[in-house]
Short mmCIF file of all heavy atoms in Angstrom, two decimals:
data_model
loop_
_atom_site.label_atom_id
_atom_site.label_comp_id
_atom_site.label_asym_id
_atom_site.label_seq_id
_atom_site.Cartn_x
_atom_site.Cartn_y
_atom_site.Cartn_z
N ASN A 1 39.91 -27.72 91.08
CA ASN A 1 39.30 -27.78 89.76
C ASN A 1 39.95 -26.82 88.77
O ASN A 1 40.10 -27.11 87.58
CB ASN A 1 37.81 -27.45 89.85
CG ASN A 1 37.13 -28.29 90.90
OD1 ASN A 1 36.75 -27.78 91.96
ND2 ASN A 1 36.97 -29.58 90.63
N TYR A 2 40.33 -25.65 89.29
CA TYR A 2 40.78 -24.58 88.39
C TYR A 2 41.82 -23.76 89.12
O TYR A 2 41.73 -23.53 90.34
CB TYR A 2 39.58 -23.70 88.02
CG TYR A 2 39.91 -22.47 87.23
CD1 TYR A 2 39.95 -22.50 85.84
CD2 TYR A 2 40.16 -21.25 87.87
CE1 TYR A 2 40.23 -21.36 85.10
CE2 TYR A 2 40.44 -20.11 87.14
CZ TYR A 2 40.48 -20.18 85.75
OH TYR A 2 40.75 -19.04 85.03
N MET A 3 42.83 -23.30 88.38
CA MET A 3 43.84 -22.40 88.91
C MET A 3 44.03 -21.29 87.88
O MET A 3 44.06 -21.56 86.67
CB MET A 3 45.15 -23.12 89.19
CG MET A 3 45.01 -24.32 90.10
SD MET A 3 46.58 -25.16 90.46
CE MET A 3 47.13 -24.20 91.88
N GLY A 4 44.17 -20.07 88.36
CA GLY A 4 44.31 -18.98 87.41
C GLY A 4 45.04 -17.79 87.99
O GLY A 4 45.29 -17.71 89.19
N TRP A 5 45.38 -16.90 87.09
CA TRP A 5 46.02 -15.63 87.46
C TRP A 5 45.17 -14.48 86.96
O TRP A 5 44.70 -14.48 85.81
CB TRP A 5 47.42 -15.54 86.84
CG TRP A 5 48.41 -16.47 87.45
CD1 TRP A 5 48.77 -17.71 87.02
CD2 TRP A 5 49.17 -16.23 88.65
NE1 TRP A 5 49.69 -18.26 87.86
CE2 TRP A 5 49.97 -17.37 88.87
CE3 TRP A 5 49.24 -15.17 89.55
CZ2 TRP A 5 50.84 -17.48 89.95
CZ3 TRP A 5 50.12 -15.28 90.62
CH2 TRP A 5 50.90 -16.42 90.80
N TYR A 6 44.98 -13.52 87.84
CA TYR A 6 44.28 -12.29 87.53
C TYR A 6 45.21 -11.13 87.84
O TYR A 6 46.21 -11.30 88.55
CB TYR A 6 43.00 -12.17 88.36
CG TYR A 6 41.93 -13.17 87.99
CD1 TYR A 6 42.09 -14.53 88.24
CD2 TYR A 6 40.74 -12.76 87.38
CE1 TYR A 6 41.12 -15.45 87.88
CE2 TYR A 6 39.76 -13.67 87.03
CZ TYR A 6 39.96 -15.00 87.28
OH TYR A 6 38.99 -15.91 86.93
N ARG A 7 44.87 -9.97 87.32
CA ARG A 7 45.67 -8.79 87.66
C ARG A 7 44.79 -7.57 87.79
O ARG A 7 43.71 -7.51 87.20
CB ARG A 7 46.76 -8.55 86.61
CG ARG A 7 46.25 -8.14 85.24
CD ARG A 7 47.41 -8.08 84.23
NE ARG A 7 46.96 -7.67 82.91
CZ ARG A 7 47.75 -7.69 81.84
NH1 ARG A 7 49.02 -8.08 81.94
NH2 ARG A 7 47.27 -7.31 80.67
N GLN A 8 45.29 -6.62 88.57
CA GLN A 8 44.56 -5.37 88.76
C GLN A 8 45.55 -4.23 88.75
O GLN A 8 46.44 -4.15 89.60
CB GLN A 8 43.79 -5.39 90.08
CG GLN A 8 42.87 -4.20 90.26
CD GLN A 8 41.88 -4.40 91.38
OE1 GLN A 8 42.04 -5.25 92.25
NE2 GLN A 8 40.81 -3.62 91.37
N ALA A 9 45.37 -3.36 87.78
CA ALA A 9 46.19 -2.15 87.68
C ALA A 9 45.49 -1.01 88.42
O ALA A 9 44.26 -1.05 88.60
CB ALA A 9 46.42 -1.80 86.21
N PRO A 10 46.22 0.01 88.82
CA PRO A 10 45.61 1.13 89.55
C PRO A 10 44.47 1.75 88.75
O PRO A 10 44.61 2.05 87.57
CB PRO A 10 46.77 2.11 89.72
CG PRO A 10 47.98 1.26 89.71
CD PRO A 10 47.68 0.16 88.72
N GLY A 11 43.33 1.91 89.40
CA GLY A 11 42.18 2.53 88.76
C GLY A 11 41.42 1.64 87.81
O GLY A 11 40.48 2.10 87.15
N LYS A 12 41.81 0.37 87.73
CA LYS A 12 41.14 -0.55 86.81
C LYS A 12 40.56 -1.73 87.56
O LYS A 12 40.94 -2.02 88.70
CB LYS A 12 42.11 -1.04 85.74
CG LYS A 12 42.60 0.07 84.81
CD LYS A 12 43.41 -0.51 83.68
CE LYS A 12 43.85 0.57 82.69
NZ LYS A 12 44.62 0.01 81.56
N GLN A 13 39.63 -2.42 86.90
CA GLN A 13 39.04 -3.60 87.50
C GLN A 13 40.00 -4.80 87.39
O GLN A 13 40.86 -4.85 86.50
CB GLN A 13 37.72 -3.95 86.80
CG GLN A 13 36.60 -2.97 87.08
CD GLN A 13 35.27 -3.43 86.51
OE1 GLN A 13 35.21 -4.13 85.51
NE2 GLN A 13 34.18 -3.06 87.16
N ARG A 14 39.81 -5.75 88.29
CA ARG A 14 40.60 -6.97 88.21
C ARG A 14 40.17 -7.74 86.96
O ARG A 14 38.99 -7.85 86.66
CB ARG A 14 40.38 -7.81 89.46
CG ARG A 14 41.31 -9.00 89.59
CD ARG A 14 41.16 -9.69 90.94
NE ARG A 14 41.48 -8.80 92.05
CZ ARG A 14 41.56 -9.21 93.32
NH1 ARG A 14 41.36 -10.47 93.61
NH2 ARG A 14 41.85 -8.34 94.26
N GLU A 15 41.18 -8.27 86.25
CA GLU A 15 40.88 -8.98 85.01
C GLU A 15 41.61 -10.31 84.97
O GLU A 15 42.68 -10.47 85.56
CB GLU A 15 41.30 -8.14 83.80
CG GLU A 15 42.78 -7.82 83.71
CD GLU A 15 43.17 -7.09 82.46
OE1 GLU A 15 42.30 -6.77 81.63
OE2 GLU A 15 44.38 -6.81 82.30
N LEU A 16 41.01 -11.24 84.23
CA LEU A 16 41.64 -12.54 84.03
C LEU A 16 42.86 -12.39 83.13
O LEU A 16 42.80 -11.72 82.10
CB LEU A 16 40.66 -13.51 83.38
CG LEU A 16 41.25 -14.85 82.92
CD1 LEU A 16 41.63 -15.71 84.12
CD2 LEU A 16 40.26 -15.59 82.03
N VAL A 17 43.95 -13.03 83.54
CA VAL A 17 45.15 -13.09 82.69
C VAL A 17 45.22 -14.44 82.00
O VAL A 17 45.34 -14.53 80.78
CB VAL A 17 46.42 -12.85 83.52
CG1 VAL A 17 47.66 -13.00 82.64
CG2 VAL A 17 46.38 -11.48 84.19
N ALA A 18 45.14 -15.51 82.81
CA ALA A 18 45.22 -16.86 82.27
C ALA A 18 44.66 -17.84 83.28
O ALA A 18 44.72 -17.59 84.48
CB ALA A 18 46.66 -17.23 81.93
N GLY A 19 44.10 -18.94 82.78
CA GLY A 19 43.56 -19.96 83.64
C GLY A 19 43.86 -21.34 83.10
O GLY A 19 44.11 -21.51 81.90
N ILE A 20 43.83 -22.34 84.00
CA ILE A 20 44.09 -23.71 83.59
C ILE A 20 43.23 -24.64 84.42
O ILE A 20 43.13 -24.50 85.64
CB ILE A 20 45.60 -24.05 83.72
CG1 ILE A 20 45.89 -25.45 83.18
CG2 ILE A 20 46.10 -23.88 85.14
CD1 ILE A 20 47.38 -25.73 82.99
N THR A 21 42.58 -25.58 83.75
CA THR A 21 41.72 -26.53 84.45
C THR A 21 42.52 -27.73 84.94
O THR A 21 43.70 -27.88 84.60
CB THR A 21 40.60 -27.02 83.52
OG1 THR A 21 41.21 -27.81 82.47
CG2 THR A 21 39.84 -25.86 82.89
N SER A 22 41.85 -28.58 85.70
CA SER A 22 42.53 -29.78 86.20
C SER A 22 42.95 -30.69 85.05
O SER A 22 43.90 -31.45 85.18
CB SER A 22 41.62 -30.53 87.17
OG SER A 22 40.38 -30.85 86.53
N GLY A 23 42.25 -30.59 83.94
CA GLY A 23 42.59 -31.40 82.78
C GLY A 23 43.64 -30.80 81.88
O GLY A 23 44.04 -31.41 80.88
N GLY A 24 44.09 -29.59 82.22
CA GLY A 24 45.14 -28.95 81.45
C GLY A 24 44.68 -28.00 80.38
O GLY A 24 45.50 -27.45 79.63
N ASN A 25 43.38 -27.78 80.27
CA ASN A 25 42.89 -26.80 79.29
C ASN A 25 43.21 -25.40 79.78
O ASN A 25 43.03 -25.09 80.96
CB ASN A 25 41.38 -26.95 79.10
CG ASN A 25 41.03 -28.27 78.44
OD1 ASN A 25 41.69 -28.71 77.51
ND2 ASN A 25 39.99 -28.92 78.94
N THR A 26 43.66 -24.55 78.87
CA THR A 26 44.08 -23.21 79.23
C THR A 26 43.28 -22.15 78.48
O THR A 26 42.73 -22.41 77.40
CB THR A 26 45.56 -22.99 78.93
OG1 THR A 26 45.80 -23.20 77.53
CG2 THR A 26 46.43 -23.95 79.72
N ASN A 27 43.21 -20.97 79.07
CA ASN A 27 42.66 -19.82 78.37
C ASN A 27 43.45 -18.58 78.78
O ASN A 27 44.00 -18.54 79.88
CB ASN A 27 41.16 -19.64 78.64
CG ASN A 27 40.86 -19.33 80.09
OD1 ASN A 27 41.21 -20.10 80.98
ND2 ASN A 27 40.22 -18.19 80.33
N TYR A 28 43.52 -17.63 77.86
CA TYR A 28 44.34 -16.44 78.06
C TYR A 28 43.58 -15.19 77.66
O TYR A 28 42.76 -15.21 76.73
CB TYR A 28 45.62 -16.50 77.21
CG TYR A 28 46.57 -17.60 77.58
CD1 TYR A 28 46.49 -18.85 76.98
CD2 TYR A 28 47.57 -17.40 78.53
CE1 TYR A 28 47.36 -19.87 77.31
CE2 TYR A 28 48.46 -18.40 78.86
CZ TYR A 28 48.35 -19.63 78.25
OH TYR A 28 49.23 -20.63 78.59
N ALA A 29 43.91 -14.09 78.30
CA ALA A 29 43.44 -12.79 77.83
C ALA A 29 44.10 -12.51 76.49
O ALA A 29 45.27 -12.87 76.28
CB ALA A 29 43.78 -11.70 78.84
N ASP A 30 43.40 -11.86 75.61
CA ASP A 30 43.96 -11.55 74.29
C ASP A 30 45.25 -10.76 74.40
O ASP A 30 46.17 -10.92 73.59
CB ASP A 30 42.94 -10.77 73.45
CG ASP A 30 41.78 -11.63 72.99
OD1 ASP A 30 41.90 -12.88 73.02
OD2 ASP A 30 40.74 -11.06 72.60
N SER A 31 45.33 -9.90 75.40
CA SER A 31 46.48 -9.01 75.54
C SER A 31 47.78 -9.73 75.89
O SER A 31 48.86 -9.17 75.75
CB SER A 31 46.19 -7.94 76.59
OG SER A 31 45.91 -8.54 77.85
N VAL A 32 47.67 -10.99 76.35
CA VAL A 32 48.87 -11.72 76.77
C VAL A 32 49.15 -12.95 75.92
O VAL A 32 50.18 -13.62 76.11
CB VAL A 32 48.81 -12.12 78.26
CG1 VAL A 32 48.51 -10.90 79.12
CG2 VAL A 32 47.80 -13.22 78.50
N LYS A 33 48.26 -13.28 74.99
CA LYS A 33 48.45 -14.46 74.15
C LYS A 33 49.76 -14.36 73.39
O LYS A 33 50.10 -13.33 72.82
CB LYS A 33 47.28 -14.60 73.17
CG LYS A 33 46.01 -15.12 73.80
CD LYS A 33 44.89 -15.26 72.77
CE LYS A 33 43.61 -15.77 73.41
NZ LYS A 33 42.49 -15.83 72.45
N GLY A 34 50.50 -15.46 73.41
CA GLY A 34 51.78 -15.49 72.72
C GLY A 34 52.95 -14.99 73.57
O GLY A 34 54.10 -15.16 73.18
N ARG A 35 52.63 -14.37 74.70
CA ARG A 35 53.70 -13.86 75.58
C ARG A 35 53.73 -14.56 76.93
O ARG A 35 54.80 -14.76 77.50
CB ARG A 35 53.52 -12.35 75.80
CG ARG A 35 53.56 -11.52 74.54
CD ARG A 35 53.57 -10.01 74.86
NE ARG A 35 52.36 -9.58 75.55
CZ ARG A 35 52.35 -8.98 76.75
NH1 ARG A 35 53.49 -8.75 77.38
NH2 ARG A 35 51.21 -8.60 77.30
N PHE A 36 52.56 -14.91 77.45
CA PHE A 36 52.45 -15.55 78.76
C PHE A 36 52.08 -17.02 78.59
O PHE A 36 51.32 -17.38 77.68
CB PHE A 36 51.39 -14.87 79.60
CG PHE A 36 51.71 -13.47 80.05
CD1 PHE A 36 52.80 -12.77 79.54
CD2 PHE A 36 50.90 -12.84 80.99
CE1 PHE A 36 53.08 -11.48 79.96
CE2 PHE A 36 51.17 -11.55 81.42
CZ PHE A 36 52.26 -10.86 80.90
N THR A 37 52.56 -17.84 79.51
CA THR A 37 52.22 -19.26 79.51
C THR A 37 51.88 -19.69 80.93
O THR A 37 52.67 -19.48 81.85
CB THR A 37 53.38 -20.11 79.00
OG1 THR A 37 53.73 -19.70 77.67
CG2 THR A 37 52.97 -21.59 78.96
N ILE A 38 50.71 -20.29 81.09
CA ILE A 38 50.30 -20.81 82.38
C ILE A 38 50.53 -22.31 82.40
O ILE A 38 50.32 -23.00 81.39
CB ILE A 38 48.84 -20.46 82.70
CG1 ILE A 38 48.50 -20.80 84.15
CG2 ILE A 38 47.88 -21.15 81.73
CD1 ILE A 38 47.15 -20.25 84.62
N SER A 39 50.96 -22.83 83.54
CA SER A 39 51.14 -24.27 83.71
C SER A 39 50.89 -24.62 85.16
O SER A 39 50.82 -23.73 86.02
CB SER A 39 52.56 -24.68 83.29
OG SER A 39 53.53 -24.03 84.09
N ARG A 40 50.73 -25.90 85.43
CA ARG A 40 50.48 -26.32 86.81
C ARG A 40 51.16 -27.64 87.08
O ARG A 40 51.34 -28.46 86.20
CB ARG A 40 48.98 -26.40 87.09
CG ARG A 40 48.22 -27.42 86.29
CD ARG A 40 46.71 -27.28 86.48
NE ARG A 40 46.25 -27.85 87.74
CZ ARG A 40 44.99 -27.78 88.17
NH1 ARG A 40 44.08 -27.16 87.44
NH2 ARG A 40 44.64 -28.33 89.32
N ASP A 41 51.52 -27.81 88.35
CA ASP A 41 52.07 -29.07 88.84
C ASP A 41 51.08 -29.60 89.86
O ASP A 41 51.03 -29.11 90.99
CB ASP A 41 53.45 -28.82 89.47
CG ASP A 41 54.14 -30.11 89.90
OD1 ASP A 41 53.44 -31.08 90.23
OD2 ASP A 41 55.37 -30.13 89.93
N ASN A 42 50.29 -30.57 89.47
CA ASN A 42 49.23 -31.05 90.34
C ASN A 42 49.79 -31.72 91.60
O ASN A 42 49.18 -31.64 92.66
CB ASN A 42 48.34 -32.04 89.58
CG ASN A 42 47.51 -31.35 88.51
OD1 ASN A 42 47.15 -30.18 88.64
ND2 ASN A 42 47.21 -32.06 87.44
N ALA A 43 50.92 -32.35 91.48
CA ALA A 43 51.52 -33.02 92.65
C ALA A 43 51.93 -32.01 93.71
O ALA A 43 51.95 -32.33 94.90
CB ALA A 43 52.72 -33.85 92.22
N LYS A 44 52.26 -30.80 93.28
CA LYS A 44 52.70 -29.77 94.22
C LYS A 44 51.61 -28.73 94.48
O LYS A 44 51.85 -27.76 95.21
CB LYS A 44 53.94 -29.06 93.66
CG LYS A 44 55.16 -29.95 93.53
CD LYS A 44 56.35 -29.17 93.00
CE LYS A 44 57.59 -30.06 92.89
NZ LYS A 44 58.76 -29.31 92.35
N ASN A 45 50.44 -28.91 93.86
CA ASN A 45 49.35 -27.93 93.99
C ASN A 45 49.85 -26.52 93.67
O ASN A 45 49.53 -25.56 94.38
CB ASN A 45 48.74 -27.97 95.41
CG ASN A 45 47.97 -29.24 95.66
OD1 ASN A 45 47.35 -29.81 94.76
ND2 ASN A 45 47.99 -29.70 96.90
N THR A 46 50.60 -26.42 92.62
CA THR A 46 51.23 -25.16 92.26
C THR A 46 50.89 -24.78 90.83
O THR A 46 50.87 -25.64 89.94
CB THR A 46 52.76 -25.25 92.42
OG1 THR A 46 53.08 -25.53 93.79
CG2 THR A 46 53.45 -23.95 92.01
N VAL A 47 50.64 -23.50 90.64
CA VAL A 47 50.41 -22.96 89.30
C VAL A 47 51.48 -21.91 89.02
O VAL A 47 51.89 -21.18 89.93
CB VAL A 47 48.99 -22.36 89.17
CG1 VAL A 47 48.77 -21.20 90.14
CG2 VAL A 47 48.69 -21.95 87.74
N TYR A 48 51.91 -21.87 87.78
CA TYR A 48 52.96 -20.95 87.36
C TYR A 48 52.44 -20.05 86.25
O TYR A 48 51.56 -20.43 85.47
CB TYR A 48 54.17 -21.72 86.83
CG TYR A 48 54.73 -22.73 87.79
CD1 TYR A 48 54.36 -24.08 87.70
CD2 TYR A 48 55.62 -22.36 88.79
CE1 TYR A 48 54.87 -25.02 88.57
CE2 TYR A 48 56.13 -23.30 89.67
CZ TYR A 48 55.75 -24.63 89.56
OH TYR A 48 56.25 -25.55 90.43
#
């Protein structure tokens, strides 16, 4: 249904970086908008 990337820096909580639904809708953390791009290949069950 959903694939996403999170990150955790030392001493900090894990946070959402970017996510993408099965329909291709995406969302991004404000800190990475314009710099990071999430995509997925459903045939390969892979997210980038």
Side-chain angles (χ1 to χ4, degrees):
N1 309 108
Y2 174 89
M3 305 182 87
W5 289 96
Y6 291 68
R7 67 186 181 188
Q8 188 166 18
K12 295 187 177 181
Q13 290 187 330
R14 189 173 299 188
E15 62 175 2
L16 171 69
V17 176
I20 184 167
T21 67
S22 57
N25 293 318
T26 59
N27 64 302
Y28 295 91
D30 288 342
S31 59
V32 307
K33 284 181 180 176
R35 300 188 297 123
F36 291 10
T37 302
I38 190 170
S39 61
R40 63 189 282 176
D41 185 331
N42 291 330
K44 295 181 179 179
N45 290 327
T46 299
V47 62
Y48 305 96

